[in-house]
Amino acid sequence: MYPPPPPAPHRDFISVTLSLGESYDNSKSRRRRSCWRRNVILFFLALSGRPAEVEKMKLEVLPVLPAPQKESAEPEGFADILSQKRQRHFRRGPPHLQIRPPNTVSKDGVQGDAKEGEAALGKAQQEENTQRTVISWRGAVIEPEQATELPDRRAEASNKPLVLASKIWKEPVPPNERQRGVIEAFLHAWKGYQKFAWGHDELKPVSKTFSEWFGLGLTLIDALDTMWILGLKQEFKQARRWVSENLDFQKNVDVNLFESTIRILGGLLSTYHLSGDSLFLSKAEDFGKRLMPAFTTPSKIPYSDVNIGTGFAHSPQWTSDSTVAEVTSIQLEFRELSRLTGIKKFQEAVEEVTKHIHSLSGKKDGLVPMFINTNSGLFTHPGVFTLGARADSYYEYLLKQWIQGGKKETQLLDDYVKAIEGVKAHLLRQSQPRKLTFVGELAHGRFSAKMDHLVCFLPGTLALGVHHGLPADHMDLARALMETCYQMNQQMETGLSPEIAHFNMYPRADHKDVEVKPADRHNLLRPETVESLFYLYRVTRDRKYQDWGWEILQSFNKYTRVPSGGYSSINNVQNSHRPEPRDKMESFFVGETLKYLYLLFSDDLELLSLDTCVFNTEAHPLPIWAPA
Ligand code: DMJ
């Protein structure tokens, strides 16, 4: 019934163990050299066993950092924030929380853990120094592993914002016609949010009201850096004032660790880097501290939820499991928070999770199950593998952390590459009649030709990897999957992708490649297709990707735009007469979808260059760390 699996994967790299001891040569002239030329030379040096030369040639683009800026008006100390009155408790999700005894470790216990962590880290670093690995690729050599350096004390923190983006406002480049189209769409979305949902989490544009998830102005925070990038000064200043005067984290409210990290922590950190305004860093630090109780589990795998007012962290009521994608897609943000503040516990907590999952059994050629238990630290519901919901950004963050850390943590890269080989071996198939390559799912050995729209992050991530030196066959896969994701949009009557597609694998005259079940016909204004179009265009410069993005923007305008302001998710992408608005504008529409469209239409490679920044999974750009 199911087609035979594709041939066994063939590994494109060699792994050699070398002893290394020399320091970097990071001169300017070297940094300017062509990356490809360098990689080719490195490849041959590695093959010829000349590690010293390899080490010498490790080059990085070192961003020039400006002096830290003064905290601007309306300073807010943590003490003030913490002493403010408790507010109403907003909660989303099941009505009753799991009743749990207080965590075995007290709220302050995180500090104690951090000490133990330091000792363990020191030991691990000693061991690592004795033996390091170089992984070399066709055309690229990956640098020897070095434990990511943790700043010792707060004083050593590099809390300087990234300079590249200040250029956006200081020397603005006039937007081209398509970018003006995105600005117009953003302003329309913003008009609805300002009129009907200001300071609330999400706009309900049809009923002209709002919905609350965490009660923290989620859309406003998610959109801050988009406004900066689009050059919307007035809107940004108004939103900044709200953050300064109204954003209060001393609130008796449960937040989802992952969702609030990628949207709120990520949004505040990137806005700090773009604007240089320390208000956003202070808020990020306050918020990060309030999330830390989530890590006080027996296994150190964090709980899914934490109350940012009381510090009570817990799993959902119905399980003590966490989702694998959620616990592995908070690392970019917490690592950056440590780098900026000098507070090590943020980075230590998330890296503990990464290390744990790296060494865990139950994977299938690098593919991970979807759930992990917070008590035992083991995968649960094993045998189900997907690149969609609950696993997706695990893969994305392996690559992106490797890039963020300056390509030193080869374990992350190794896990990423292994997983891509796992995808090729177990999840790739071609549809009929157009032979579209798609990523399906595997459940206990049975293949399902189901692909979430969420999986459309993958072509972009593959292209990003290739930009950073990974093998060319990753790019072949990126192009093929990009075409598929485009077709998931294009083959629908509205030109917008359904939430989930099923692919036809058998040659039947009356069947299309992409089929949609009634329950999956909705579109939530998600970003993944346009996110990948952005990366594919940056890496290939093929204008067809811009054209595809432009088509999708037209479709959003035609079928999801609400006249009084805002855009709405829709129920049926297959009915252009009655797409049926669902009355919700998710925060990621302004945080991600419109941002990626704007960047896709830009021909300025320096605008948030892939060489200096890495986007978190909510499209918030964070700096790539300079080499030690
Ligand atoms: C966003 O919050 C992020 O992109 C996340 O990684 C997946 N879900 C939404 C967008 O679809």
Side-chain angles (χ1 to χ4, degrees):
M1 185 170 172
Y2 294 95
H10 127 132
R11 291 173 79 87
D12 284 309
F13 61 87
I14 55 168
S15 181
V16 278
T17 302
L18 303 168
S19 292
L20 297 167
E22 297 203 14
S23 59
Y24 292 120
D25 175 348
N26 192 31
S27 73
K28 240 187 183 175
S29 59
R30 279 179 179 276
R31 286 202 303 272
R32 275 198 293 267
R33 282 185 195 160
S34 137
C35 185
W36 272 110
R37 209 177 81 197
R38 180 192 72 157
N39 287 338
V40 170
I41 296 168
L42 284 170
F43 177 67
F44 285 109
L45 284 176
L47 281 183
S48 65
R50 290 162 63 192
E53 282 91 329
V54 172
E55 181 74 354
K56 267 191 174 172
M57 287 193 65
K58 288 184 300 182
L59 310 169
E60 295 293 341
V61 179
L62 184 62
V64 183
L65 300 171
Q69 298 190 11
K70 273 200 188 152
E71 183 156 352
S72 28
E74 305 118 354
E76 293 174 53
F78 295 132
D80 294 343
I81 293 169
L82 291 170
S83 65
Q84 282 164 18
K85 261 192 172 173
R86 285 262 168 100
Q87 299 193 9
R88 196 158 66 83
H89 183 172
F90 291 105
R91 182 192 296 163
R92 170 160 164 162
H96 303 291
L97 296 179
Q98 190 174 24
I99 308 297
R100 236 170 227 291
N103 295 316
T104 45
V105 186
S106 73
K107 252 166 92 185
D108 295 332
V110 180
Q111 297 287 357
D113 291 346
K115 284 218 179 86
E116 282 169 30
E118 273 168 50
L121 184 79
K123 200 172 160 226
Q125 277 174 346
Q126 259 181 359
E127 282 165 12
E128 278 177 20
N129 284 341
T130 54
Q131 225 190 31
R132 289 176 180 174
T133 302
V134 172
I135 298 178
S136 58
W137 299 91
R138 282 195 269 136
V141 167
I142 309 313
E143 293 166 0
E145 181 162 20
Q146 294 180 343
T148 308
E149 299 286 329
L150 293 179
D152 257 353
R153 305 279 331 148
R154 189 176 261 276
E156 288 185 33
S158 29
N159 62 343
K160 294 174 186 167
L162 194 67
V163 73
L164 61 98
S166 60
K167 200 177 136 208
I168 297 171
W169 278 24
K170 285 192 189 138
E171 309 153 34
V173 178
N176 60 36
E177 196 190 332
R178 287 178 173 182
Q179 286 180 302
R180 285 201 298 277
V182 180
I183 292 172
E184 193 280 326
F186 182 92
L187 288 173
H188 183 77
W190 206 239
K191 182 171 93 180
Y193 181 72
Q194 281 175 320
K195 278 206 290 192
F196 309 121
W198 185 250
H200 296 285
D201 282 346
E202 290 136 349
L203 168 66
K204 287 166 71 72
V206 179
S207 52
K208 300 185 180 161
T209 180
F210 58 85
S211 54
E212 221 61 292
W213 187 1
F214 310 141
L216 297 172
L218 199 59
T219 294
L220 189 148
I221 300 175
D222 225 358
L224 284 166
D225 58 4
T226 307
M227 288 184 267
W228 184 278
I229 293 162
L230 271 53
L232 300 173
K233 294 189 181 181
Q234 203 188 317
E235 289 73 14
F236 179 84
K237 282 179 185 160
Q238 189 188 17
R240 192 255 179 222
R241 197 173 318 121
W242 184 87
V243 171
S244 168
E245 292 170 5
N246 301 94
L247 180 59
D248 178 6
F249 293 130
Q250 180 51 42
K251 226 171 177 177
N252 184 8
V253 59
D254 281 352
V255 302
N256 174 283
L257 173 67
F258 162 74
E259 296 289 0
S260 65
T261 296
I262 65 170
R263 301 183 199 215
I264 297 176
L265 188 54
L268 291 169
L269 289 173
S270 70
T271 306
Y272 169 64
H273 278 298
L274 293 169
S275 66
D277 183 343
S278 58
L279 166 72
F280 299 107
L281 180 57
S282 313
K283 291 286 181 190
E285 182 176 338
D286 179 23
F287 193 64
K289 285 176 177 166
R290 292 170 187 276
L291 295 180
M292 289 308 286
F295 294 90
T296 52
T297 65
S299 66
K300 307 272 178 69
I301 296 297
Y303 292 122
S304 58
D305 297 87
V306 56
N307 185 303
I308 54 171
T310 64
F312 178 66
H314 58 92
S315 297
Q317 191 189 7
W318 55 90
T319 179
S320 52
D321 289 351
S322 286
T323 296
V324 170
E326 292 195 358
V327 302
T328 55
S329 309
I330 50 180
Q331 279 68 7
L332 290 177
E333 299 81 357
F334 277 90
R335 281 157 48 114
E336 178 59 9
L337 189 59
S338 271
R339 195 184 72 89
L340 287 171
T341 61
I343 301 171
K344 297 197 293 185
K345 65 181 178 183
F346 300 125
Q347 179 162 4
E348 286 170 348
V350 292
E351 290 188 346
E352 183 90 26
V353 178
T354 308
K355 275 186 212 152
H356 179 89
I357 296 211
H358 169 77
S359 55
L360 210 53
S361 60
K363 294 181 203 128
K364 189 178 180 72
D365 292 336
L367 303 175
V368 289
M370 295 149 80
F371 297 99
I372 185 162
N373 190 273
T374 51
N375 294 318
S376 68
L378 300 175
F379 289 129
T380 61
H381 309 283
V384 180
F385 301 99
T386 174
L387 265 274
R390 300 187 183 278
D392 48 0
S393 43
Y394 160 74
Y395 305 100
E396 178 187 347
Y397 268 36
L398 288 174
L399 178 75
K400 287 184 173 177
Q401 284 180 83
W402 173 69
I403 294 169
Q404 176 191 44
K407 303 183 189 172
K408 294 172 196 146
E409 300 146 289
T410 53
Q411 182 179 295
L412 294 163
L413 176 69
D414 203 17
D415 285 354
Y416 171 74
V417 172
K418 202 167 171 190
I420 299 303
E421 292 304 316
V423 170
K424 289 190 210 164
H426 304 292
L427 303 181
L428 279 192
R429 295 288 190 282
Q430 285 198 325
S431 67
Q432 295 288 346
R434 295 184 57 169
K435 302 208 181 309
L436 299 175
T437 301
F438 69 94
V439 183
E441 298 184 353
L442 201 63
H444 310 291
R446 286 171 72 96
F447 181 80
S448 158
K450 162 182 178 278
M451 177 165 155
D452 294 351
H453 179 263
L454 287 169
V455 181
C456 288
F457 82 93
L458 186 59
T461 298
L462 287 165
L464 176 66
V466 172
H467 177 80
H468 284 282
L470 298 197
D473 63 309
H474 283 208
M475 197 64 214
D476 300 337
L477 183 55
R479 284 178 204 269
L481 291 174
M482 190 74 260
E483 169 76 33
T484 304
C485 290
Y486 171 60
Q487 290 299 331
M488 282 167 64
N489 289 267
Q490 214 257 345
Q491 291 191 14
M492 300 300 121
E493 283 72 356
T494 56
L496 294 172
S497 170
E499 177 73 357
I500 301 172
H502 285 79
F503 287 83
N504 172 36
M505 301 209 298
Y506 305 100
R508 274 181 293 207
D510 56 335
H511 278 56
K512 282 185 176 175
D513 292 72
V514 186
E515 293 173 346
V516 188
K517 304 204 165 169
D520 307 331
R521 293 191 298 215
H522 50 291
N523 179 293
L524 303 183
L525 312 172
R526 285 195 192 277
E528 289 76 15
T529 300
V530 297
E531 168 185 355
S532 281
L533 288 171
F534 157 68
Y535 286 108
L536 269 281
Y537 180 67
R538 279 276 169 113
V539 174
T540 66
R541 311 299 281 171
D542 185 338
R543 290 206 180 272
K544 82 176 174 198
Y545 298 124
Q546 288 185 324
D547 295 340
W548 292 356
W550 184 243
E551 280 175 34
I552 291 171
L553 177 60
Q554 302 312 307
S555 296
F556 278 131
N557 276 329
K558 197 160 174 191
Y559 298 107
T560 71
R561 188 172 164 119
V562 179
S564 48
Y567 288 73
S568 171
S569 48
I570 54 173
N571 267 331
N572 191 351
V573 293
Q574 292 182 305
N575 190 337
S576 54
H577 302 293
R578 288 193 64 225
E580 289 179 30
R582 287 165 74 108
D583 196 17
K584 179 129 161 206
M585 184 173 84
E586 300 279 351
S587 78
F588 49 70
F589 182 64
V590 283
E592 291 195 76
T593 309
L594 294 179
K595 184 190 289 152
Y596 279 129
L597 280 165
Y598 184 84
L599 294 173
L600 163 67
F601 299 142
S602 168
D603 279 314
D604 179 5
L605 288 182
E606 294 308 309
L607 178 60
L608 301 173
S609 151
L610 299 182
D611 294 315
T612 51
C613 66
V614 60
F615 291 84
N616 86 339
T617 192
E618 189 75 5
H620 297 303
L622 299 172
I624 295 174
W625 300 344

